[in-house]
Amino acid sequence: MCGIAGLALKPGLVPDRTVLDALTRALAHRGPDGHGHHVQGNVALSHTRLAVIDLVTGDQPLHAGPASLVGNGEVYNYRELRADNALACTTGSDCEPPLHLFRRDGAGFAQTLRGMYALAIHDRATRQVVLARDPFGIKPLYVAETAQGIAFASEPQALIAAGLVAPRLRSAALHEVLQLQFTTGAETIFEGIRRLLPGETVVITDGSVVERRRRAALPEGGPEAITEDAALARLDAALEASVDLHQRSDVPYGMFLSGGTDSAAILAMMARLNDRPVLAFTAGFDVAGAADEREAAAHAARAAGARHVTLDVTREMVWRHLPEIVAAMDDPAADYAIIPTWFLARRAREEVKVVLSGEGGDEIFGGYGRYRSAMRPWWRGGKAMRAHGAFDRLDVLRDPPRFWRDGIEAAEAAAATPGRTRLQAAQALDVADWLPNDLLVKLDRCLMAHAVEGRTPFLDAGVANAAFRLPDAMKVQGGQGKWILRQWLAKHFPASEPFRRKQGFTVPVGAWIAESADRLAPLVAAQPGVAGIAKPDRILPLFRAAAGKREGFAAWHLLFHALWHRRHIEGMAPQGDVFAYLAAR
């Protein structure tokens, strides 16, 4: 896990060392264990390292012949790639096999990689720079086309800090964040900064993109014919293989444990594969009536023989650190789960550098309630995914957002490929945007803020191939999603109570906002990022009503945007608690 950045300039131009140094400094939190540069002609690569695999010889850039590589993430099947392809590797780095595969296969080198990665390769012989991102988009990579050529980095804020792009908002993306809590597609909220799409490989020659290709995350085709026993056996093999690969590390690792089925399955498989107790971290909240899964998590941890660490997240902690938390979300995902994730990562870093997490379980196995609605035709009460936005019918924004579903509608059309069922199309829609642009941004930024590597065993080609094309009835049955995963848990880890009704993960941020409404609302209303989009006289009533679900989401989105705008548009570093930060002039 690391930070990468670089410049691929037009002929005759030379990378500015001060720009390269600025990129490196801006990504230092992602890689506190070292840094390296490669500068040749009109190309520069930068790397900041979090040492996890090959602690001795794994420094980057890596070199082979005329090619040099920097990478962020982990290529889990690096041992198999070495053996199967007889690669002449000179280090133990997981990123060296991709470099040799590139020299052999060119831009198609990523087809056999299994892992989470964002890679940049400079081939001096062809004057090309090749960028590649993993199919699920677990690891981020952002690109800016400038007058001098192309710049790229693991985080947009690095491109802005280096002076390569000005921090200007795209209004269409702002509407998406307000209504959806994330942005869709390749365009980010910043003018001039794009995402490399999940699974995309881009070839750059002399400062211009000359080729794009894409690797799909999910298998094509509709449901396959398979018995439940065969599906369970295949799932068991796929989960074991994936968790085994995701545990490859030369440093200690643990896991994030909630009270749900996804993390219970990760825990069960880790307990199977490890000789020593699994180290599991769980967060809970101090608000009466909040959805607190610590008791269920503790029960599962005891049954698995895990060492269980719990963390109390209080309102005082949140108000003290919220400016820092939101500052980490330069690509804004206004998901309130950033709060416990940030605190869990901070606690985990005291003991480990790597944690396994359950992101992707709902998307791969069909867990969300919205999928059950999407399965029904409209005349039976079915509705489109994300049909309503957070501010609908609340009369808070000056101008109701328009066209905020354009990106979702484009992804809907792409997800509904021939043969797929309504459920599969809904899953594919989430894998295309919600997963990489919300959940995985949350995991990446909150963990990398503390130099912790997050790994997601459900987001693996083997697991996707085992689960995505299962019949709908093996995913949704009896009003419950993830049916096959629950059946697997009932067989292999019944103590997790897999058929217990899902409590739902919530953070009591709405209750906290309501309690502090009279103090917080005027500060939010006065922010430049909010004053232009919201009616000032509607913010206090909204915040006072934030204990309600709809009002709570909208109030949180406004608070998030106020803090985000202050940091990433106005450029004010987070100092003090949420009240002091918003009041500072």
Side-chain angles (χ1 to χ4, degrees):
M1 187 70 64
C2 308
I4 66 170
L7 302 168
L9 305 179
K10 294 179 179 178
L13 298 178
V14 177
D16 185 332
R17 187 62 186 233
T18 61
V19 171
L20 192 60
D21 288 344
L23 287 168
T24 305
R25 284 194 304 272
L27 297 173
H29 58 283
R30 299 184 69 92
D33 296 333
H35 65 273
H37 292 158
H38 160 80
V39 181
Q40 185 74 36
N42 61 338
V43 172
L45 305 179
S46 174
H47 186 262
T48 63
R49 187 180 188 208
L50 179 64
V52 171
I53 290 176
D54 187 13
L55 307 185
V56 177
T57 65
D59 290 341
Q60 296 183 27
L62 295 164
H63 308 282
S68 302
L69 174 147
V70 292
N72 169 32
E74 305 290 354
V75 177
Y76 299 123
N77 64 333
Y78 65 101
R79 297 173 188 167
E80 291 77 7
L81 290 172
R82 279 198 180 100
D84 295 345
N85 296 280
L87 302 178
C89 295
T90 60
T91 75
S93 171
D94 61 291
C95 283
E96 188 176 3
L99 180 58
H100 292 286
L101 290 173
F102 169 78
R103 295 193 64 201
R104 188 191 72 185
D105 301 333
F109 78 102
Q111 287 299 315
T112 56
L113 304 186
R114 188 172 179 180
M116 56 176 188
Y117 54 83
L119 306 173
I121 300 174
H122 176 213
D123 187 342
R124 296 184 296 281
T126 62
R127 303 194 324 277
Q128 290 183 335
V129 172
V130 177
L131 308 178
R133 190 179 180 200
D134 69 80
F136 285 102
I138 305 168
K139 290 294 99 188
L141 192 57
Y142 299 86
V143 177
E145 297 190 33
T146 73
Q148 289 74 40
I150 291 178
F152 57 89
S154 294
E155 298 178 7
Q157 60 85 19
L159 298 170
I160 293 169
L164 295 164
V165 181
R168 289 194 294 265
L169 284 175
R170 281 197 321 114
S171 59
L174 173 58
H175 292 165
E176 284 186 327
V177 172
L178 292 172
Q179 291 285 70
L180 292 172
Q181 82 184 25
F182 63 96
T183 61
T184 63
E187 299 289 344
T188 71
I189 198 168
F190 298 106
E191 287 186 6
I193 300 179
R194 292 170 57 90
R195 304 179 181 98
L196 205 69
L197 290 171
E200 190 172 27
T201 296
V202 168
V203 180
I204 303 165
T205 300
D206 291 335
S208 298
V209 173
V210 297
E211 182 184 349
R212 295 181 186 272
R213 58 178 69 189
R214 201 81 193 269
R215 181 184 171 196
L218 299 173
E220 288 296 329
E224 59 187 326
I226 187 172
T227 67
E228 187 172 293
D229 286 344
L232 285 168
R234 188 173 70 181
L235 176 59
D236 185 77
L239 285 176
E240 180 171 311
S242 181
V243 172
D244 188 41
L245 285 172
H246 281 72
Q247 291 185 155
R248 288 184 173 176
S249 171
D250 293 334
V251 297
Y253 54 82
M255 70 163 298
F256 287 164
L257 178 65
S258 70
T261 56
D262 299 334
S263 62
I266 303 297
L267 171 64
M269 192 55 75
M270 290 180 72
R272 179 194 294 185
L273 295 170
N274 286 272
D275 294 329
R276 62 183 61 185
V278 176
L279 176 56
F281 299 91
T282 302
F285 308 104
D286 66 341
V287 174
D292 193 329
E293 297 186 309
R294 280 177 291 185
E295 183 177 345
H299 177 69
R302 285 193 298 271
R307 179 184 158 219
H308 192 211
V309 176
T310 59
L311 175 68
D312 294 321
V313 178
T314 68
R315 178 185 62 182
E316 289 70 26
M317 290 167 60
V318 172
W319 287 157
R320 186 165 64 250
H321 293 286
L322 191 60
E324 295 174 74
I325 298 172
V326 175
M329 306 302 298
D330 59 333
D331 188 354
D335 190 328
Y336 52 46
I338 62 176
I339 294 171
T341 305
W342 191 92
F343 284 110
L344 278 173
R346 187 179 68 163
R347 174 61 183 89
R349 191 61 174 88
E350 297 175 12
E351 302 191 53
V352 299
K353 278 187 176 182
V354 175
V355 292
L356 277 65
S357 186
E359 273 79 7
D362 283 297
E363 291 79 8
I364 296 298
F365 294 98
Y368 293 123
R370 59 180 176 263
Y371 293 160
R372 297 191 282 282
S373 175
M375 291 171 70
R376 297 189 294 270
W378 65 267
W379 62 85
R380 291 182 51 208
K383 61 182 180 180
M385 294 259 284
R386 309 187 187 283
H388 301 291
F391 286 89
D392 287 0
R393 301 184 301 278
L394 286 178
D395 190 30
V396 171
L397 301 182
R398 292 182 184 274
D399 298 307
R402 295 178 295 171
F403 313 120
W404 60 270
R405 285 199 84 254
D406 285 1
I408 289 293
E409 289 174 356
E412 284 174 337
T417 59
R420 281 182 177 169
T421 65
R422 291 174 181 268
L423 173 57
Q424 286 182 306
Q427 292 174 269
L429 172 61
D430 272 350
V431 168
D433 269 310
W434 157 258
L435 187 63
N437 299 332
D438 185 298
L439 298 187
L440 295 177
V441 169
K442 170 207 71 179
L443 190 70
D444 177 81
R445 300 305 200 280
C446 291
L447 270 63
M448 293 311 294
H450 303 286
V452 176
E453 175 171 297
R455 298 182 175 184
T456 52
F458 288 126
L459 299 179
D460 171 79
V463 176
N465 289 336
F468 182 70
R469 294 190 60 212
L470 290 175
D472 286 358
M474 290 190 189
K475 299 173 186 174
V476 177
Q477 195 173 130
Q480 285 188 316
K482 295 186 283 195
W483 181 263
I484 195 70
L485 187 62
R486 294 176 194 274
Q487 291 284 64
W488 182 88
L489 282 166
K491 180 178 181 180
H492 297 283
F493 192 33
S496 65
E497 303 178 17
F499 289 98
R500 173 173 47 90
R501 285 287 173 181
K502 183 175 180 178
Q503 184 179 18
F505 178 75
T506 59
V507 178
V509 68
W512 292 328
I513 290 173
E515 291 169 4
S516 302
D518 288 0
R519 185 181 180 191
L520 195 57
L523 293 172
V524 170
Q527 296 306 307
V530 173
I533 62 174
K535 301 175 182 178
D537 61 326
R538 295 295 302 152
I539 294 177
L540 180 57
L542 176 71
F543 276 38
R544 284 174 173 170
K549 184 176 180 179
R550 290 178 62 245
E551 294 82 0
F553 271 117
W556 161 247
H557 286 191
L558 275 185
L559 173 58
F560 177 95
H561 181 65
L563 295 168
W564 183 90
H565 191 278
R566 171 140 280 208
R567 175 67 187 99
H568 293 291
I569 301 299
E570 300 168 54
M572 181 178 289
Q575 293 181 340
D577 66 14
V578 67
F579 306 103
Y581 185 58
L582 291 173
R585 290 291 179 265

